[in-house]
Amino acid sequence: MKKLLVYMKGYEKECILGPLFKLLEAGFDLTVPVVTAAIIDYGIANQDRDYITRYGGILVLLAIVGLACSITAQYFAAKAAVGFAARLRHALFAHVESLSFAEIDQVGTSTLITRMTSDINQVQSGVNMALRLFLRSPFIVFGAMVCAFFYDVKAALVFVVVIPLLALVIFGIMGVSMPLYKKVQGALDKVLGSTRENLTGVRVIRAFHREKEEEEEFCAENDFLAKSQLFVGKISALTNPVTYVMINLALVALLWIGGVRIDAGTLSQGQIIALINYLSQILVELVKLANTIVLSNKALACANRIESVMDIQSSLGASALGIDGMQEGRGKGEVVFENVSMRYQGALEPSVEGVTFTAEKGQTIGIIGGTGSGKSTLVHLIPRFYDVSEGCVKVDGKDVRSYGLEELRSKIGIVMQKAVLFKGTIRDNLLWGNENASEEELKEALELSQSMEFVEKKENGIESFVEQGGRNLSGGQRQRLTIARALVRKPEILIFDDSTSALDYATDAKLRNGLKSLPYSPTIFMVSQRTSSIRHADQIIVLEDGEVIGIGTHDELLKSCQVYQEIHQSQYQDEKEREGHKA
């Protein structure tokens, strides 16, 4: 939690004024029993209505001033807590954005979402309560005890005994419940992860009739979360009944001692009423403090979870996040792999091993291989989504690790394996590639990606609305728009990570012909499962189990690489069979 307090900077005034006004309110509350005792001992005892009216007005005034102090304290506490949470959320989001794919894979998407939402909300509530009550409640408790000594020492000894016992119960429950709240938040992560997985994969689940199994798995995780919450809730719920029992026993003791002292003439009736009021205030404040501590336990557990994410150091390095060193003009777009190996965190074997090749400016590099052969991993090393374990990747003769990320990625346009579009218009999505693109450049990108044919048919054309994830578009339309988005950038290096799989052969061929005609001649990396998509590439790299087993042109590989031959022949046979069926 200490590391997160830096985000309170700028709210020092609120952090002081909030508790200060709460202490003023507490001071007025401690004055109320004194005024009440005076009314009983002097006003009521002497039947002095003027005295009662005058001191009754003082009680009303104390209530009004106390309410004003309470509202003011709440305003400052809320301002500080909300501002702190907003800054923390911004910082956490920025930190997550700075992480490489490796760290995001390690932490998990569902965990990051929980940290960003539920955990920060809990911390916000904890800060708010702490600013309002962590000083007020102890001040009332010890202030009431001190005031009791002014009335009668023997009666005040009841306060001396009961307050430490109450503190022992409260802090004991806090010590037990705090680690349990961490487990509850962990169970919440699992439920959120299961929910996200089911929502994103609902079509696959239905296609394989796995609804029942998924429901059972979700119910098991949800039941575990519910049981965990109930268990820790029962422990926390002990606070109120235990404290009430102890306070009531103390009240019985106080009335007994007070009665004896009144008979002896040492205490007045008003004073014993004041002592009972102080004991009642202690009860109320300790219950508030207990609830504050329970909420603070949750907040501290959540703060530690947030802190654990903030402590994750990006494998990209701090220097990579800078924007210095931006070069004017375009580079060559040359890419060199020198004995590159890459191992995912926790993996026993490298996903890519010993890869060496050179892609010169304007060349088209095809990458093919079986599922899990390392094709996507290989191209993800160029924009530095992951860092190499051994060797180096160079762009324009410079190791990618020596570039600032903004400089490096400004050279690259990538179309990911999964087509991702954002909520907004088609224009908004294209401008992700280049926010300063002209109307002509947008149209050119749509035409090159073969998207214009369906965009023009839409009622609003390029201004047509796209739902989150492109749900209102077909798979092929989503892929073509993501290709258009990359083309708008006019990058030096263009990467297609198996991003034409949803396109038919004719559209795929038109796209490849369009790429050849690009005037700025980017270096193109095309990952594909189809030999027809890469057969005209200048170099084709064949991968198997992360190793390069063949490099050459289509014709060369058909003669020298058995794996490439098998892939091509299986697809060629499928094409012949389809043509035979059509005939």
Side-chain angles (χ1 to χ4, degrees):
M1 183 68 184
K2 291 181 181 178
K3 293 181 181 179
L4 303 185
L5 292 178
V6 66
Y7 302 108
M8 289 293 289
K9 190 176 181 180
Y11 292 98
E12 294 88 351
K13 179 183 71 175
E14 287 78 4
C15 291
I16 294 172
L17 291 177
L20 180 62
F21 275 96
K22 269 296 176 182
L23 290 179
L24 286 173
E25 181 199 359
F28 292 126
D29 285 349
L30 289 173
T31 309
V32 169
V34 177
V35 178
T36 304
I39 290 174
I40 293 171
D41 288 339
Y42 301 105
I44 295 176
N46 299 325
Q47 295 185 352
D48 188 342
R49 292 187 177 180
D50 290 339
Y51 191 92
I52 294 171
T53 302
R54 189 166 60 254
Y55 274 76
I58 292 174
L59 283 178
V60 173
L61 181 62
L62 287 173
I64 293 172
V65 175
L67 177 63
C69 290
S70 177
I71 293 172
T72 306
Q74 177 60 60
Y75 167 77
F76 286 121
K79 185 178 179 181
V82 171
F84 166 71
R87 285 185 174 180
L88 180 57
R89 196 174 285 111
H90 279 300
L92 181 59
F93 186 81
H95 181 70
V96 170
E97 288 289 291
S98 73
L99 300 177
S100 73
F101 282 18
E103 287 84 39
I104 293 174
D105 292 343
Q106 176 190 352
V107 178
T109 306
S110 59
T111 299
L112 292 174
I113 293 172
T114 307
R115 302 290 194 275
M116 199 84 64
T117 53
S118 174
D119 285 352
I120 290 182
N121 287 340
Q122 289 281 6
V123 172
Q124 177 182 322
S125 299
V127 170
N128 194 344
M129 291 289 283
L131 290 175
R132 291 193 294 124
L133 296 177
F134 259 132
L135 284 181
R136 173 195 158 85
S137 293
F139 182 80
I140 289 282
V141 170
F142 291 104
M145 184 175 67
V146 170
C147 291
F149 272 99
F150 281 105
Y151 286 114
D152 188 77
V153 174
K154 287 187 178 180
L157 292 176
V158 174
F159 291 75
V160 175
V161 173
V162 76
I163 289 174
L165 290 175
L166 286 169
L168 183 65
V169 169
I170 290 169
F171 285 103
I173 291 173
M174 180 185 73
V176 173
S177 61
M178 189 170 179
L180 293 175
Y181 278 117
K182 292 181 181 179
K183 292 183 179 180
V184 168
Q185 289 299 114
L188 180 62
D189 280 349
K190 290 185 178 180
V191 171
L192 182 61
S194 180
T195 304
R196 179 179 177 274
E197 194 174 60
N198 275 271
L199 290 175
T200 54
V202 64
R203 295 184 181 183
V204 178
I205 292 168
R206 289 177 179 175
F208 287 93
H209 303 292
R210 296 279 299 178
E211 294 94 336
K212 187 176 180 181
E213 290 83 352
E214 291 297 325
E215 284 178 16
E216 289 174 355
E217 184 179 339
F218 179 82
C219 286
E221 292 173 350
N222 196 34
D223 288 344
F224 178 75
L225 173 61
K227 288 176 181 177
S228 301
Q229 287 176 319
L230 285 170
F231 181 66
V232 70
K234 287 176 181 177
I235 293 174
S236 298
L238 288 172
T239 306
N240 284 1
V242 172
T243 52
Y244 270 101
V245 167
M246 295 176 71
I247 283 290
N248 282 309
L249 288 174
L251 184 58
V252 170
L254 182 62
L255 288 171
W256 177 49
I257 294 171
V260 173
R261 305 289 285 172
I262 288 172
D263 284 341
T266 309
L267 275 176
S268 67
Q269 292 175 334
Q271 288 173 333
I272 195 65
I273 293 297
L275 289 172
I276 292 171
N277 280 340
Y278 282 131
L279 195 60
S280 298
Q281 284 185 354
I282 289 172
L283 169 63
V284 171
E285 292 304 322
L286 282 173
V287 170
K288 285 182 183 178
L289 183 61
N291 292 331
T292 302
I293 289 172
V294 169
L295 186 60
S296 298
N297 285 341
K298 294 181 182 179
L300 285 171
C302 293
N304 290 334
R305 285 153 51 85
I306 295 167
E307 200 170 62
S308 68
V309 175
M310 298 289 278
D311 285 340
I312 296 174
Q313 297 296 318
S314 174
S315 59
L316 299 176
S319 61
L321 305 179
I323 60 173
D324 297 332
M326 292 286 287
Q327 296 178 353
E328 296 294 331
R330 295 177 62 84
K332 295 186 295 182
E334 181 188 71
V335 180
V336 178
F337 279 67
E338 293 182 355
N339 196 30
V340 168
S341 297
M342 187 272 171
R343 186 194 307 269
Y344 289 103
Q345 189 167 8
L348 297 175
E349 299 292 334
S351 296
V352 170
E353 187 173 15
V355 177
T356 300
F357 69 89
T358 299
E360 297 178 357
K361 174 179 171 56
Q363 281 192 333
T364 298
I365 309 297
I367 301 174
I368 196 169
T371 303
S373 59
K375 303 185 297 297
S376 295
T377 300
L378 190 70
V379 293
H380 285 174
L381 297 174
I382 302 171
R384 233 188 137 191
F385 293 153
Y386 296 95
D387 268 340
V388 298
S389 304
E390 296 176 14
C392 69
V393 179
K394 294 182 178 179
V395 172
D396 291 336
K398 187 177 176 182
D399 193 322
V400 293
R401 288 169 291 189
S402 62
Y403 280 98
L405 285 183
E406 185 172 341
E407 180 186 359
L408 174 64
R409 292 175 184 172
S410 67
K411 296 172 173 286
I412 300 167
I414 184 167
V415 187
M416 305 295 282
Q417 194 168 10
K418 181 182 178 183
V420 176
L421 296 172
F422 298 93
K423 186 177 179 181
T425 63
I426 292 175
R427 179 191 297 277
D428 293 335
N429 277 276
L430 295 181
L431 291 175
W432 272 69
N434 179 8
E435 60 184 10
N436 299 316
S438 65
E439 193 72 22
E440 192 62 35
E441 288 173 328
L442 296 179
K443 288 182 179 179
E444 182 183 351
L446 288 172
E447 287 172 356
L448 281 169
S449 64
Q450 311 304 309
S451 304
M452 188 61 81
E453 58 181 82
F454 75 84
V455 172
E456 286 182 333
K457 291 177 183 177
K458 291 186 174 291
E459 184 178 350
N460 297 317
I462 197 171
E463 302 297 340
S464 298
F465 184 74
V466 178
E467 291 186 8
Q468 184 179 355
R471 290 192 301 266
N472 58 335
L473 299 172
S474 69
Q477 289 171 342
R478 287 197 295 269
Q479 280 196 341
R480 281 181 276 177
L481 284 178
T482 54
I483 292 169
R485 181 173 60 196
L487 292 173
V488 166
R489 177 173 288 226
K490 294 185 177 180
E492 299 166 23
I493 301 165
L494 193 53
I495 300 172
F496 295 91
D497 184 7
D498 200 14
S499 50
T500 60
S501 57
L503 304 184
D504 58 73
Y505 284 87
T507 305
D508 189 12
K510 289 178 183 177
L511 172 64
R512 283 185 278 109
N513 289 332
L515 293 175
K516 287 181 181 178
S517 65
L518 290 173
Y520 50 90
S521 302
T523 305
I524 299 173
F525 289 83
M526 186 165 286
V527 176
S528 181
Q529 300 281 3
R530 302 192 303 216
T531 57
S532 59
S533 297
I534 59 173
R535 64 183 301 163
H536 299 294
D538 299 296
Q539 287 188 76
I540 298 173
I541 299 170
V542 185
L543 293 174
E544 186 174 44
D545 295 330
E547 296 183 358
V548 176
I549 58 170
I551 296 181
T553 63
H554 174 74
D555 293 332
E556 290 170 350
L557 290 172
L558 282 178
K559 296 176 182 177
S560 61
C561 183
Q562 184 179 354
V563 171
Y564 189 80
Q565 291 170 6
E566 291 173 356
I567 295 172
H568 178 69
Q569 287 171 4
S570 64
Q571 294 174 1
Y572 181 69
Q573 187 65 32
D574 289 342
E575 290 174 15
K576 287 182 67 177
E577 287 177 2
R578 282 196 295 270
E579 289 174 1
H581 286 309
K582 289 178 182 179

